[in-house]
Each structure stands twice: as structure tokens, then as C-alpha cells.
Amino acid sequence: MAEDSSDSIKTFWAELPKADEDFLGAIRDWKNVQIAMDEEIIWLKGFTDEQVNSSDIQQLPNFILYELRDGLLFRKDALVPNKKMRTALLWTPIDKALKLTFPISNNNFFGIDEKFDVKLKPSEEEQPAIALLCSISDVKELFVTIPKFKLEKLDWIVMNDKALLMGTPLLSFPGKTFWVKDDHLLPTGFDFEFKNLSSLLQRKYNECNEDWLLWSENGSVLNINKEDFRKLSVSSFRLTEKSKEWN
């Protein structure tokens, strides 16, 4: 007789104090997860094995994870149950139950007037770099050594004393690299604290997809019109240097 494979499927529940609801924004884009309110406790269910073991879960404060077995809730890997499964709960997908708000911030460091408190955090997922922000003074001697065919694959724009290069393969110049998510240019090794912010910010600040949104690790952003980029070449770089001298 074949073994019932359903016995090996684990069902996970979790609870969190309602006072810590804001921390759930980190997993708001996990559309498979459902939540329900029970007085001062938030219940969650529907986690995958991968989500249960993710750093997003482990970093949530006061978050208690259970495994559901025969109507009883066991702490993860525990042999004795902690409590019975809650019944008569009204379940809702987490992305619909949690409303995302944009608290206003006065951080004007990166050059646009209206700011929101958006945070970036180190990402476990490795993404290919597609843009490089470098100091012109650090790379001007290197430009003349690069073959023409490599330069022609890149676009660039000058911002004060810095140059932003875009394309692949990137040049091995000193500077800060960025990867693309929607039309956001995020520092390599970082992602939004709340991953679903990407599309929401695009709809709010770049609805026509005319700009690149260049982010720094501290959550500040610069809008750059895509049409302001031009093809990179030695001659365009030299013209830029000349114009800086005239100014």
C-alpha cells in the first residue's frame, strides 16, 4: 500500500502581539500568508517551508511560530503542544489586510522636495549590477584606455562632479554599483525593507516611467530623466570636461 504523502506536509501557524503589527510590513508581499485578529493577538498561517526558515521571519520581534498537528499548536520542533488551534477566526490575505502608509520625512539630502521614510536593507539575493556611479576625477585618466566598442555599450549622465554609467558589461572603474528593480536603481546588495514598495513607489512618483529613481543606502532618492542619458564615448567625455572648464 502506498504511503500517504500528505502526512509529511507541515502546516505552520504563528502569532504576534497586535502592538507589533507594523513589523509585518517586511512580509506583506507574501500573498500566500493569511492573517486574522483575535483580541490583542494577530494569527498568521499558510507559510511555506522556505518562508519559515527565512531571515525575514527570524528578525520579527515577539513572533512565535507553531506547527499544526491534529488541531494542536506545537512550537517549531517541539514534542509537546503549547495550545489548541484557534477556531472561528476571520482570515484575510496579508497583502490586503495590512495597509501600507508613507510617513513624511524631512530628509532632503538627495535632492527632491517631497520625501517619504523608505528604508533599504541588505539583501540575501545577489543581483547583477547594471549602473555605476563614479567620481569624474577618479576615472578621467582611465577613459582613454578603454576600447571604443566597450564604451559604445554604455549610456551616461553627469551629475555635478560624478558620472552615472548604465549598461552591460560595466567598466571596472572605482565607484558604487547599482541593480535595477522596476525603474529603481538600488545599491547592489540592498533591497527595499518592504519588497512590495517597488511597484507602489513607481505608481506614485514615476507613473509614466520617464525617470530612473536612484537610491542611496539611507533611503534617499534622486529622479533622473531617462532622456538625459547619452551614449558614452571618449569625445563626449572630453566635451564634458571642456564645458566644466568654461564654467
Side-chain angles (χ1 to χ4, degrees):
M1 183 175 178
E3 183 179 349
D4 184 2
S5 60
S6 64
D7 291 341
S8 61
I9 299 175
K10 294 183 178 181
T11 300
F12 296 103
W13 281 42
E15 66 172 280
L16 184 81
K18 193 172 182 180
D20 294 325
E21 177 181 353
D22 289 346
F23 291 104
L24 291 177
I27 62 171
R28 185 181 178 274
D29 59 329
W30 292 0
K31 299 182 186 300
N32 55 291
V33 174
Q34 295 186 311
I35 71 173
M37 304 293 181
D38 180 20
E39 296 181 351
E40 296 304 311
I41 296 294
I42 298 175
W43 287 97
L44 304 96
K45 69 176 182 178
F47 299 98
T48 65
D49 289 342
E50 182 180 2
Q51 289 169 340
V52 163
N53 294 300
S54 72
S55 60
D56 293 304
I57 284 288
Q58 296 167 8
Q59 293 171 3
L60 292 176
N62 303 315
F63 184 88
I64 303 176
L65 186 67
Y66 299 101
E67 184 181 334
L68 178 63
R69 308 177 206 158
D70 299 324
L72 300 174
L73 295 175
F74 294 73
R75 286 282 191 104
K76 191 168 179 281
D77 300 324
L79 299 177
V80 179
N82 288 80
K83 56 183 67 179
K84 291 182 179 180
M85 177 184 70
R86 299 292 298 175
T87 58
L89 295 174
L90 181 61
W91 295 97
T92 308
I94 190 170
D95 62 318
K96 292 181 171 56
L98 299 182
K99 294 182 179 179
L100 194 61
T101 58
F102 294 86
I104 295 176
S105 166
N106 292 321
N107 176 14
N108 289 317
F109 173 78
F110 220 51
I112 65 175
D113 296 329
E114 188 178 9
K115 289 294 186 298
F116 289 89
D117 187 16
V118 178
K119 295 181 181 179
L120 272 62
K121 68 173 185 178
S123 173
E124 298 176 350
E125 301 177 10
E126 187 174 348
Q127 302 289 349
I130 198 172
L132 171 70
L133 183 66
C134 55
S135 169
I136 293 177
S137 61
D138 289 344
V139 302
K140 63 182 181 179
E141 301 298 332
L142 300 174
F143 261 100
V144 295
T145 67
I146 304 298
K148 180 180 178 181
F149 73 91
K150 288 189 177 182
L151 297 179
E152 290 175 340
K153 295 179 181 294
L154 303 174
D155 297 322
W156 80 312
I157 187 173
V158 175
M159 301 178 294
N160 297 323
D161 61 342
K162 296 185 183 298
L164 179 65
L165 314 181
M166 286 193 65
T168 55
L170 283 175
L171 304 178
S172 55
F173 285 171
K176 184 180 295 292
T177 57
F178 297 81
W179 64 283
V180 171
K181 183 174 188 177
D182 299 323
D183 282 333
H184 301 285
L185 293 174
L186 299 170
T188 50
F190 286 81
D191 199 351
F192 292 113
E193 181 182 23
F194 305 146
K195 294 182 180 179
N196 58 304
L197 267 180
S198 176
S199 58
L200 292 172
L201 289 170
Q202 282 293 333
R203 291 199 299 270
K204 192 170 183 67
Y205 297 115
N206 193 26
E207 186 176 1
C208 297
N209 303 111
E210 296 175 346
D211 295 343
W212 292 111
L213 303 180
L214 181 69
W215 293 87
S216 65
E217 289 91 338
N218 67 3
S220 52
V221 64
L222 175 66
N223 287 57
I224 306 173
N225 192 302
K226 294 178 180 179
E227 293 186 357
D228 290 340
F229 280 83
R230 52 183 168 167
K231 285 294 178 185
L232 178 61
S233 66
V234 173
S235 61
S236 68
F237 179 77
R238 286 174 174 167
L239 285 173
T240 299
E241 283 293 279
K242 279 292 184 183
S243 65
K244 290 172 71 70
E245 292 174 7
W246 293 334
N247 294 331

